Amino acid sequence: METKKDDFEIIVYENNGEAADNMGLRSFNKLCKILGSKNICIKRYSFVKDREQFRQNNDLWHLICCAGIDILPATYVNGKIEKIEEYPTKKEIYRWISDV
């Protein structure tokens, strides 16, 4: 699949307080490496390190304030929330890219 980096933007907001051995996180880290080799970049923001990025996203900040940090990870595609509480799968990412 040939896609241009400028055609879409995927951002994953994460709670880096999750256990390091979290199976979903490990799988997502591997997926990001695979996608990176295909020039598909996923921006990732950590709740602890990048809190200002969370605050700038008003709807995400509102969700966190109302529902708590347990809604993370939250995935946005082109500014629209697509998934919460779990990391996106390879199949979901390719579907989002093909819908652009």
Side-chain angles (χ1 to χ4, degrees), residues 11-39:
I11 301 175
V12 177
Y13 295 88
E14 304 173 274
N15 174 11
N16 55 336
E18 294 177 349
D21 61 349
N22 180 320
M23 184 67 144
L25 177 58
R26 287 190 307 206
S27 296
F28 187 65
N29 287 338
K30 289 179 186 177
L31 177 58
C32 286
K33 287 182 183 180
I34 292 167
L35 294 172
S37 70
K38 297 180 180 190
N39 293 325

Side-chain angles (χ1 to χ4, degrees), residues 6-97:
D6 296 335
D7 289 345
F8 60 92
E9 178 181 57
I10 299 173
I11 301 175
V12 177
Y13 295 88
E14 304 173 274
N15 174 11
N16 55 336
E18 294 177 349
D21 61 349
N22 180 320
M23 184 67 144
L25 177 58
R26 287 190 307 206
S27 296
F28 187 65
N29 287 338
K30 289 179 186 177
L31 177 58
C32 286
K33 287 182 183 180
I34 292 167
L35 294 172
S37 70
K38 297 180 180 190
N39 293 325
I40 299 171
C41 180
I42 296 177
K43 292 180 185 176
R44 298 172 76 176
Y45 295 119
S46 159
F47 187 73
V48 171
K49 294 179 183 177
D50 306 304
R51 191 155 312 185
E52 189 56 35
Q53 291 294 331
F54 283 71
R55 285 190 180 117
Q56 289 177 11
N57 184 328
N58 291 330
D59 63 331
L60 176 64
W61 192 249
H62 182 74
L63 276 173
I64 291 170
C65 290
C66 292
I69 198 152
D70 291 337
I71 65 135
L72 299 177
T75 304
Y76 282 75
V77 179
N78 293 334
K80 180 182 169 194
I81 194 162
E82 292 290 342
K83 187 169 188 174
I84 60 171
E85 298 180 347
E86 293 179 344
Y87 286 98
T89 64
K90 181 179 179 180
K91 185 176 181 179
E92 289 170 325
I93 291 171
Y94 281 121
R95 181 172 37 95
W96 296 330
I97 292 170

